[in-house]
Structures are given as structure tokens and as C-alpha cells.
Amino acid sequence: MRAPLLLLLVLLTACAPRFTPQAPRTPPLNLAGPPPDVVILSVSGRCGPPCQAPRDNVDYLSGRGTLDALAGVFTARGLSVQASGYASHPAGQFRSPFIGADQRGYAALQADLTAIKPWLRGPHPPRLVLLGHSQGAVWLHHLTRVNPDVTFDVQIDLDAICVGWRGDFQALLRGHDQTPSLLEACDLIQVNGARRNIKDVVWPNVTVNLEVQSKRYPARSASGGLPVNYLFDLSGNTRLDGTRQGLQLFVSSREDHSAVTTPRSDAFAWVSARLTQVVQVWTPAQPSRSDQPSRSDQPSRPAQPLAQP
């Protein structure tokens, strides 16, 4: 009984398409130029049969238009945006026979973040926004954990799932892991006297966390997906002290694990509405004003108060 159930769970993870993913319209990360107002870093999740994870994992959040839709929330405010998408894989770069373009994984994400750090010490540092789906959210929770010197303004989790984590990455990380270990990114730790999965911990350097979980019961959705959802996140996020300051949770009652990533989904409508509230206090960089304070002097800004859903 457990084997068929596990197969269903894997099948419902985001499957890598057999085509070259479409490039997003949002300008890519350009480390050679001036910093934008907002940098979006996104990590997609695990593929399922017939593709082979993690070899065939792909950055589908870019190809589905999800990154463009997210960037639109910021450009509507007059903010300049650059975005970069990554696949669920520890390598900096890899290629799948299913995908017509090289994919970039966690090592590339960390390298790009390291390259961005001089921007964060400048007079007009960009806001950092993270977007992760399924296994992708796990990578990003690890990223925020191992970069405590960086303030991440918003972290968006779309149905964070640990299915296949150690089995997928143990061989690839042998001899190349770090401390804390990437393999431990789905382990349990003590949080305010309770055992919690590390993927559900929002670290102190994250100001606002928006979390989406997919449906628990059979339902149809206009955004697509299966009527029955076999894979969903049941554990809400928490701070290290057990509180939920700056954290918001939305359970998408009509959408499955994959459908929550589509730009026209109920889930993304909720994310957009919450982000619109957050960015009301964000302003474009004004290089001509020498008296504008630097955000680099404020490494741990308090979360903006948000209305409860």
C-alpha cells in the first residue's frame, strides 16, 4: 500500500517538460550593471516520472510565467526588477536530455547571492525576494539559514515539500557538502520546545514570509490541476521563538500541488494581494538624493504589519 502511495506523491510533483523553457520577460540578474530596486531569486521543485529527478529537474517557475507575474507586483509600484530562476539540484550547472537548455542549481544561486552582497552594502541596496515551490522552498530556507548577514525582505513558499530529498541528493553531495549540511535541510530541530522540520522555520533575517499550501480535499479549480490532491504541505511555518511575526498562511482550497504555481491561480492572487500591501512602503532608488539612508545599516528590519487572511 505504501509503494503505490509514494508513486502517486512523486507523480504529483512538478514534472519537467520536454521542451526548452520560455525565457521570462523580466530582465535577468545583471551583476555588471547598477542594482535594481528588487531582485527576485526563485527555485523550482522536483520532477516526476517519466523524467528522472534530480537529473531532469528544471526551472519551471520562469517558463510558466510565474516570475513575470511576481515581478509585475513590483513594477506596478514603479520599482525596477531583475530575476533569476534555478532548478532543484545542488550543482551550479547541469543538463538534462529532456530539457533543451542548461539548468542552474543551488551552487549557482549561492554564487549569485555572494556576488550581490556588494550591492547590499551600497547606497541603494535592492530588496531581496525569494520564491520557492515544493523542494525549491527547501533550498531557499537553507539559503536564508546559511546567510545570516543578508536581509531577505520577502520569502514566498508555495507548498514546501521534502519528498525525495535525501534520496535525490545524497550521492551528488558526497564529498561536496557544507556545514550545516544540505542533506539536513529537511531534518527536525527543536523550536520553542517542539520538534519542527527545518523547511518550516523562518530565520530571523527574513522580514516577511508568505506561505501557500495546496488543497486537502477533492475540488476543481479554474487554474487546472487534478481534482484529488495527493501531495500537500500540512505544517505551517514558524519563527525560531515559536511566534509567527511577519508570517502569513493561505490554504488554497481548490488547487493542487502544481496548480498553486500558475499566475492565474487563487494562490497567486493571494500572494499578489499581500505583496501589494508590503510594497506600499517601498520606493524606487533616487540616486540624486545623497541624504537617503542606506538599508545596509538596518540588517534586521521589522516585518510590515499585514492583515490576517
Side-chain angles (χ1 to χ4, degrees):
M1 180 64 184
R2 296 180 64 182
L5 178 58
L6 180 60
L7 178 60
L8 284 171
L9 295 182
V10 174
L11 283 168
L12 281 166
T13 55
C15 187
R18 301 186 186 189
F19 60 90
T20 300
Q22 297 298 311
R25 298 186 304 273
T26 304
L29 190 62
N30 179 15
L31 297 170
D37 298 316
V38 179
V39 171
I40 302 173
L41 305 173
S42 77
V43 186
S44 299
R46 188 183 199 270
C47 77
C51 50
Q52 179 181 320
R55 183 199 67 181
D56 300 328
N57 289 347
V58 63
D59 166 27
Y60 53 77
L61 290 174
S62 296
R64 291 179 184 177
T66 313
L67 271 182
D68 289 333
L70 183 62
V73 177
F74 304 111
T75 57
R77 175 70 182 168
L79 300 161
S80 60
V81 183
Q82 293 179 13
S84 187
Y86 309 83
S88 182
H89 198 287
Q93 184 170 305
F94 64 100
R95 176 175 281 267
S96 160
F98 277 16
I99 308 300
D102 287 344
Q103 298 297 302
R104 303 175 73 225
Y106 180 81
L109 167 63
Q110 178 60 75
D112 286 346
L113 179 62
T114 300
I116 286 171
K117 288 184 179 181
W119 282 354
L120 304 179
R121 297 189 291 268
H124 306 290
R127 304 274 184 169
L128 297 186
V129 177
L130 304 178
L131 172 66
H133 174 238
S134 197
Q135 277 187 354
V138 179
W139 289 109
L140 290 174
H141 278 255
H142 184 84
L143 183 79
T144 59
R145 181 187 186 188
V146 300
N147 291 278
D149 58 322
V150 176
T151 294
F152 298 92
D153 294 85
V154 180
Q155 181 171 14
I156 303 167
D157 297 340
L158 302 179
D159 230 15
I161 293 294
C162 284
V163 168
W165 187 262
R166 280 186 174 268
D168 286 351
F169 305 124
Q170 190 156 9
L172 291 170
L173 288 171
R174 188 174 295 123
H176 302 282
D177 207 354
Q178 55 186 245
T179 302
S181 172
L182 281 161
L183 288 177
E184 297 172 358
C186 283
D187 286 2
L188 300 178
I189 59 172
Q190 287 286 338
V191 176
N192 196 33
R195 300 281 285 173
R196 300 298 301 269
N197 195 303
I198 295 176
K199 76 170 180 65
D200 298 319
V201 175
V202 179
W203 301 93
N205 53 329
V206 175
T207 307
V208 173
N209 173 238
L210 303 177
E211 180 185 11
V212 170
Q213 297 177 358
S214 60
K215 65 187 178 185
R216 285 92 162 96
Y217 307 107
R220 283 286 187 185
S221 170
S223 59
L226 300 174
V228 177
N229 188 24
Y230 295 94
L231 185 63
F232 45 85
D233 183 13
L234 282 173
S235 302
N237 290 346
T238 182
R239 296 284 186 181
L240 277 172
D241 60 1
T243 69
R244 290 183 49 80
Q245 181 178 2
L247 278 57
Q248 292 280 301
L249 170 65
F250 173 71
V251 179
S252 185
S253 62
R254 301 190 303 165
E255 294 162 337
D256 71 10
H257 181 68
S258 182
V260 297
T261 68
T262 61
R264 291 181 294 278
S265 64
D266 297 342
F268 203 83
W270 178 84
V271 168
S272 297
R274 289 297 182 269
L275 273 181
T276 298
Q277 295 180 35
V278 172
V279 302
Q280 291 306 306
V281 297
W282 295 11
T283 55
Q286 300 179 27
S288 61
R289 291 187 57 186
S290 59
D291 59 339
Q292 188 173 9
S294 171
R295 288 200 308 118
S296 59
D297 297 331
Q298 304 172 359
S300 299
R301 294 178 306 281
Q304 297 298 322
L306 299 177
Q308 293 295 323

